[in-house]
Amino acid sequence: MIHRPRRLRRTDAIRSLVRETRLAPENFVLPLFVCPGTGVRREISSMPGVFNLSIDETTKEVAAAYDAGVRGIILFGLPETKDPVASGAYAEDGIVQRAIRAVRQSTPQMIIMADTCLCEYTSHGHCGVVREGEVINDESLELLAQTALSQAAAGADIVAPSAMMDGQVGAIREVLDREGFENTAILAYAVKYASGFYGPFREAAQSAPEFGDRRAYQMDPPNVREAMREADLDYSEGADMLMVKPATVYLDVLSMVRERFDIPIAAYHVSGEYALIKAAAQKGWIDEERVMMETLTSIKRAGADIILTYYAREAIKALTK
Ligand code: PBG
């Protein structure tokens, strides 16, 4: 007898009946880049369809995204000025803090996440305090905790530490709890690789390091056992959710994190992963919608419950058409 798996591939209806992985609108989180000014809507050249938005434009964008089915956003900020200690990251009236308040007012149902890092706010562009060319871990923790606290105070539902400083999740949890924000959740960028795929983001967030690179704090791409250690540490420091980043070239890592931890797992489909698809599509070399959905499906199949992606709106559109 011949075994015939093709029986279950015959029609759309049958394929759908036996489909193992399904994307849903609620899986997606849309990243947004908030900048100073009013009426600013500046497209990022290496990320077609993604913009630097002033706060007034951000609130419009968020309302439109909510109408389109997006239920979560993550905010990044471009401050007016930068300094060595990232003052803009934890200022009460910082760009992200103001954006959080504005969005909370205009689209109260939206889940608001805030990226908790210093690199967009430091004059040198590193994710922590720098002394003699080195990023100093424990002093940076203090500032990261202040940043998370100011974001929580502004009304963020979830803070997402991405600086890859040791102990950052624990330091943030402690301050949040002490200050009465025990209900603010932490999405830990637990496994974040030093990746070439962040190139376009650094244009979008104007956060390229002035000297050196991030290899002394972000993870070395060949390592996977070390990724489990990073995930383990963040889990035990109190992370509510764990993230792997980038997504597609680290699906093996994502699937191992999924296997080991019984809390929600997120993956960040980063700027470079988005740009690759966009560029090939603009050249007419691939079918953008098809490649986008296949890519996002692979991330979910590998184990992500939550996918941060610049394609959030387009993906939801494709799902609901
Ligand atoms: C901040 C941060 C980065 C990204 C998310 N948070 C940049 C970096 O580490 O250089 C990258 C996101 C993307 O590429 O889409 N540290």
Side-chain angles (χ1 to χ4, degrees):
M1 188 196 61
I2 299 186
H3 292 274
R4 299 188 190 277
R6 287 185 54 191
R7 280 185 203 117
L8 300 183
R9 292 182 205 137
R10 275 181 46 242
T11 67
D12 256 342
I14 296 176
R15 285 192 294 274
S16 180
L17 177 75
V18 299
R19 190 155 295 141
E20 299 174 31
T21 305
R22 276 177 219 278
L23 292 166
E26 295 80 3
N27 295 135
F28 300 114
V29 174
L30 177 68
L32 294 171
F33 300 98
V34 190
C35 69
T38 47
V40 182
R41 194 178 165 80
R42 191 170 52 231
E43 193 164 33
I44 292 133
S45 65
S46 51
M47 300 174 74
V50 180
F51 299 83
N52 286 163
L53 301 167
S54 49
I55 292 177
D56 56 324
E57 290 291 323
T58 301
T59 56
K60 287 187 217 161
E61 187 86 355
V62 173
Y66 194 87
D67 282 343
V70 175
R71 292 295 175 262
I73 56 166
I74 181 161
L75 296 175
F76 297 90
L78 286 72
E80 215 118 358
T81 56
K82 306 189 185 212
D83 64 30
V85 290
S87 307
Y90 41 86
E92 203 201 323
D93 62 347
I95 186 88
V96 161
Q97 289 76 4
R98 283 188 288 137
I100 293 170
R101 288 192 194 94
V103 170
R104 181 55 77 222
Q105 274 277 315
S106 54
T107 311
Q109 318 88 311
M110 186 64 96
I111 300 167
I112 304 176
M113 307 186 185
D115 182 81
T116 306
C117 197
L118 307 180
C119 59
E120 295 126 59
Y121 308 91
T122 49
S123 38
H124 45 69
H126 279 286
C127 303
V129 180
V130 170
R131 196 154 306 124
E132 286 158 23
E134 270 209 52
V135 176
I136 311 294
N137 195 85
D138 296 10
E139 276 175 53
S140 306
L141 293 184
E142 192 62 36
L143 303 186
L144 287 164
Q146 287 312 309
T147 302
L149 177 60
S150 68
Q151 294 166 337
D157 300 293
I158 299 169
V159 294
S162 66
M164 288 299 278
M165 293 300 121
D166 295 333
Q168 62 183 9
V169 171
I172 289 171
R173 188 70 273 161
E174 193 186 312
V175 169
L176 290 179
D177 287 356
R178 185 179 354 115
E179 301 293 331
F181 295 99
E182 66 277 0
N183 290 328
T184 306
I186 299 179
L187 165 61
Y189 286 70
V191 183
K192 178 176 180 183
Y193 287 94
S195 171
F197 286 91
Y198 306 150
F201 173 94
R202 291 177 189 174
E203 182 200 339
Q206 295 168 16
S207 66
E210 205 170 52
F211 64 88
D213 53 41
R214 304 207 201 289
R215 284 175 231 241
Y217 40 105
Q218 298 180 349
M219 273 192 58
D220 198 21
N223 291 2
V224 64
R225 290 190 295 270
E226 187 188 348
M228 298 307 116
R229 179 161 152 78
E230 283 285 1
D232 217 358
L233 289 170
D234 285 3
Y235 180 82
S236 40
E237 287 173 30
D240 299 283
M241 301 176 275
L242 298 171
M243 192 198 298
V244 174
K245 174 184 173 197
T248 51
V249 285
Y250 297 94
L251 291 181
D252 55 332
V253 181
L254 177 58
S255 118
M256 284 183 69
V257 172
R258 166 75 297 158
E259 288 287 309
R260 288 201 192 198
F261 298 92
D262 293 328
I263 58 175
I265 306 300
Y268 200 141
H269 182 243
V270 303
S271 57
E273 300 177 275
Y274 174 83
L276 294 187
I277 301 176
K278 275 283 169 199
Q282 284 188 347
K283 282 190 170 282
W285 291 349
I286 56 167
D287 175 337
E288 181 174 17
E289 184 181 311
R290 204 170 157 189
V291 171
M292 162 183 80
M293 295 311 275
E294 191 173 335
T295 301
L296 296 172
T297 300
S298 77
I299 298 168
K300 182 140 191 211
R301 194 186 59 230
D305 304 294
I306 301 158
I307 304 175
L308 291 79
T309 176
Y310 305 98
Y311 269 130
R313 253 166 323 197
E314 289 89 331
I316 291 170
K317 202 164 157 199
L319 282 175
T320 49
K321 77 177 181 195

